[in-house]
């Protein structure tokens, strides 16, 4: 197919050409911009401009193929450039449409099932640019659901020494009622230091059975190498971790722990209590952290006996992070990284408010997870060079060192 006609690259020239063709100016300008993105994407893929004869180029252009992109301003007819070997695949369409489709579908399904309001209908029309029928919803859902299912069931072929686990709750309609449903999320950090969302699940609660089912599914898909897990202290979750990852070290999220302690004291005392906790978690070594912990228990025994008791019984659960290399501790002492992803989920799901069913919830969260993975894989999260010196806390007293090379096959369950 021939190359699209050369256009005046100035904004004025573009708008004049659009007006001459009788096209909508906004749609025309957007089409031109996206077309330029496609051209630049192929140039980067080939490592060469058109007609650039260099030794470093990785292929040659080979015409165009038509493609329609649905946007909030209507459908755009584009010409996607091709390479001679057929290896070039633009990421623009999937990156633009995947989470847009999921969000639109979640809203539209409420409308089609008769549980929406006029406000939801208005949002639907603004997002899609037209009225939506059940058949259109079905067609739109089919492709995205297949992609989401393939992602959720993909084999895990790498080793993941570190896991980060958390859950959030969404409201889902079921049998005429609205119930809170747990959205369970697991992040793995692989042996090269890249982080990856391993999966998304919906469950009635954070029970041991629910989390055990999640972990068994991950292991069935190939999860190996788990040596360290960080999470909050939900009983069902911690029991499942102990059962499914025997021998792995569990770190209680320090941020969750501090929040729990703050909730136990009056507002006027929270600053002082938090300062004590920061001294513990900010210690440079395990020995120093333990010393600070014991001192804090003694200091608070009279003024805040419940806090002192909690620290005495569970304080060391915050200190497992000291088994890790120092450069890993800041990022692996809490689930903050995963909570930032949860904040992005909240920003999107609050538009839906109430999901029409569990599938709609999984669809949207998974679509966003796929997008997040694409971003995370562009940069390492941790430097995993050298050896990982894992230390087991034996009964909260003695330390037993287990040096395991990060890239060695010995990193397994």
């Amino acid at each position: 197919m021939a190359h699209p006609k050369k256009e005046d690259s100035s904004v004025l020239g573009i708008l004049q050409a659009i007006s001459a063709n009788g096209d909508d100016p906004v749609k025309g300008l957007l089409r031109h911009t996206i077309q330029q993105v496609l051209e630049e994407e192929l140039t980067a893929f080939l490592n060469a401009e058109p007609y650039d004869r260099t030794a470093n180029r990785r292929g040659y252009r080979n015409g165009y193929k038509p493609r329609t992109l649905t946007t909030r301003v209507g459908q755009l007819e584009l010409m996607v450039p091709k390479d001679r070997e057929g290896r070039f695949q633009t990421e623009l369409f999937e990156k633009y449409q995947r989470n847009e489709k999921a969000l639109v579908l979640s809203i539209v399904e409420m409308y089609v099932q008769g549980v929406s309001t006029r406000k939801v209908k208005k949002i639907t029309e603004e997002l899609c640019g037209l009225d939506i029928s059940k058949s259109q919803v079905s067609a739109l859902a089919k492709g995205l659901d297949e992609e989401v299912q393939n992602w959720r069931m993909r084999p895990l072929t790498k080793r993941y020494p570190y896991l980060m686990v958390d859950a959030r709750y969404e409201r889902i309609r079921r049998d005429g009622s609205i119930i809170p449903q747990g959205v369970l999320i697991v992040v793995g950090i692989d042996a090269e230091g890249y982080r990856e969302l391993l999966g998304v699940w919906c469950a009635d609660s954070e029970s041991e059975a629910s989390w055990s089912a999640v972990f068994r599914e991950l292991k069935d898909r190939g999860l190996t190498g788990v040596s360290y897990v960080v999470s909050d202290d939900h009983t069902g979750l911690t029991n499942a971790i102990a059962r499914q990852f025997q021998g792995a070290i569990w770190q209680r999220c320090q941020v969750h722990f501090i929040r729990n302690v703050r909730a136990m004291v009056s507002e006027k005392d929270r600053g002082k209590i938090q300062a004590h906790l920061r001294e513990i978690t900010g210690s440079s070594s395990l020995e120093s952290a333990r010393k600070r912990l014991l001192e804090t228990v003694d200091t608070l025994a009279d003024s805040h006996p419940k806090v002192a008791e909690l620290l005495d019984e569970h304080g060391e659960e915050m200190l497992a992070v000291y088994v890790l290399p120092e450069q890993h501790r800041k990022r692996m002492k809490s689930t903050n990284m995963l909570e930032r992803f949860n904040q992005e989920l909240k920003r999107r799901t609050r538009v839906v408010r109430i999901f029409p069913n569990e599938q709609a919830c999984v669809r949207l969260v998974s679509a966003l997870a796929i997008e997040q993975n694409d971003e995370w894989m562009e940069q390492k999260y941790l430097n995993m060079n050298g050896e990982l010196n894992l230390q087991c806390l034996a009964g909260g007293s003695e330390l037993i060192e287990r040096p395991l090379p990060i890239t060695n096959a010995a990193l397994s369950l």
Side-chain angles (χ1 to χ4, degrees), residues 32-93:
H32 177 86
T33 302
I34 294 177
Q35 190 70 54
Q36 291 301 111
V37 170
L38 292 170
E39 297 291 345
E40 292 172 5
E41 194 176 6
L42 180 60
T43 295
F45 176 82
L46 297 176
N47 197 32
E49 298 283 348
Y51 310 109
D52 186 5
R53 307 294 179 181
T54 68
N56 296 325
R57 70 180 305 131
R58 295 191 290 265
Y60 296 88
R61 287 168 169 77
N62 188 36
Y64 293 80
K65 58 183 178 182
R67 178 72 185 269
T68 300
L69 177 64
T70 300
T71 73
R72 300 189 188 198
V73 297
Q75 293 186 331
L76 303 179
E77 303 299 329
L78 301 169
M79 300 299 294
V80 179
K82 301 187 296 182
D83 69 305
R84 188 175 296 174
E85 289 77 23
R87 295 180 294 113
F88 173 67
Q89 295 290 332
T90 176
E91 297 180 0
L92 184 146
F93 291 98

Side-chain angles (χ1 to χ4, degrees), residues 182-226:
V183 179
L184 314 183
I185 304 174
V186 179
V187 171
I189 299 178
D190 66 27
E192 295 182 354
Y194 289 96
R195 49 186 166 163
E196 181 180 347
L197 282 149
L198 303 183
V200 171
W201 298 263
C202 273
D204 289 336
S205 66
E206 290 188 76
S207 65
E208 180 180 349
S210 296
W211 277 114
S212 290
V214 166
F215 296 145
R216 283 196 299 268
E217 179 185 308
L218 287 173
K219 290 194 286 188
D220 288 344
R221 287 166 49 198
L223 176 65
T224 59
V226 178

Side-chain angles (χ1 to χ4, degrees), residues 265-278:
V265 300
S266 63
E267 187 172 353
K268 67 181 180 63
D269 290 334
R270 286 175 184 171
K272 179 179 67 175
I273 298 297
Q274 183 161 329
H276 283 297
L277 296 176
R278 294 298 186 192

